[in-house]
Amino acid sequence: MQLHLKCILLAALYTAGCQGNAGNNTAGTADTGTVTTTPAVTATSNGSEFKKDGTLDFLSKNQADTIRKIDIQVAQTDQQREDGLMYRRSMTDEQGMLFIFPDMEERSFWMKNTYISLDIIYIDDKMEIVSIQKYATPLSEEGLPSFKKAKYVLEVNGGFCDKYHIAYGDKVFFRI
């Protein structure tokens, strides 16, 4: 009889533990199921999470029409910029990472520990795209320079710029 009670108790604890974790993978919800105001988080295939900090619009240089709108994760501290998209195994075309620097200078990025091909978009302080490094090779330690001064760098999936016709001279507008 005592063994039977222990089994029931263990089963009840196991069930309660499973129910307590049911909402942990849902963006914007706490364990209680109530909606919070935390940024949206989307799990990637390797368990790293995309944290939506804001949105970014691409504007055409000719007519200032919106070409494309994406969600962005922001990297503005030294540690966030150092980590970047390393170790991520996937990202959607609706996502990107925006690196914010305190000053304008020529920049260079590399793909060390980055498993997905990226287009690296360099943007000046006037929010204009000054250069693009397309289809960056995953895991490469080769420097990918901006060739011009940039204050912002945006990483999106490799091929994104060709697919959506994003080009030098286009502008961006972001909200965080």
Side-chain angles (χ1 to χ4, degrees):
M1 183 71 169
Q2 189 175 14
L3 180 62
H4 181 68
L5 288 174
K6 285 182 182 178
C7 289
I8 291 172
L9 180 60
L10 285 174
L13 288 172
Y14 176 77
T15 303
C18 290
Q19 288 173 347
N21 290 330
N24 284 350
N25 291 330
T26 305
T29 61
D31 287 340
T32 61
T34 58
V35 175
T36 65
T37 58
T38 58
V41 176
T42 306
T44 58
S45 64
N46 68 337
S48 295
E49 295 180 334
F50 175 85
K51 180 179 157 235
K52 179 182 174 183
D53 294 318
T55 59
L56 182 139
D57 296 334
F58 291 93
L59 308 171
S60 69
K61 61 184 159 207
N62 299 333
Q63 301 157 344
D65 292 333
T66 300
I67 302 170
R68 182 90 176 140
K69 181 178 179 175
I70 63 170
D71 294 332
I72 52 170
Q73 181 171 349
V74 175
Q76 56 188 353
T77 67
D78 288 340
Q79 186 63 52
Q80 290 169 333
R81 288 189 296 258
E82 186 179 320
D83 293 343
L85 292 174
M86 289 195 310
Y87 305 108
R88 298 244 178 118
R89 300 229 181 237
S90 67
M91 186 168 63
T92 71
D93 272 0
E94 289 78 34
Q95 299 172 332
M97 179 169 277
L98 180 68
F99 296 79
I100 301 174
F101 292 91
D103 55 3
M104 285 272 293
E105 65 179 59
E106 287 192 26
R107 310 264 174 221
S108 185
F109 275 45
W110 63 354
M111 298 290 290
K112 182 178 182 180
N113 299 321
T114 305
Y115 296 108
I116 53 177
S117 177
L118 299 172
D119 284 356
I120 302 172
I121 303 168
Y122 295 98
I123 304 160
D124 69 12
D125 58 354
K126 296 177 187 95
M127 309 311 274
E128 184 175 320
I129 297 172
V130 295
S131 69
I132 301 171
Q133 292 280 354
K134 296 180 182 181
Y135 302 97
T137 304
L139 304 175
S140 173
E141 293 187 24
E142 176 187 351
L144 302 166
S146 62
F147 300 110
K148 293 189 176 185
K149 291 184 177 183
K151 181 172 174 126
Y152 308 96
V153 179
L154 178 67
E155 292 181 337
V156 292
N157 279 332
F160 180 93
C161 292
D162 286 342
K163 184 175 182 179
Y164 298 106
H165 309 287
I166 307 299
Y168 169 83
D170 288 340
K171 297 209 175 225
V172 300
F173 174 77
F174 66 87
R175 294 162 296 284
I176 52 175

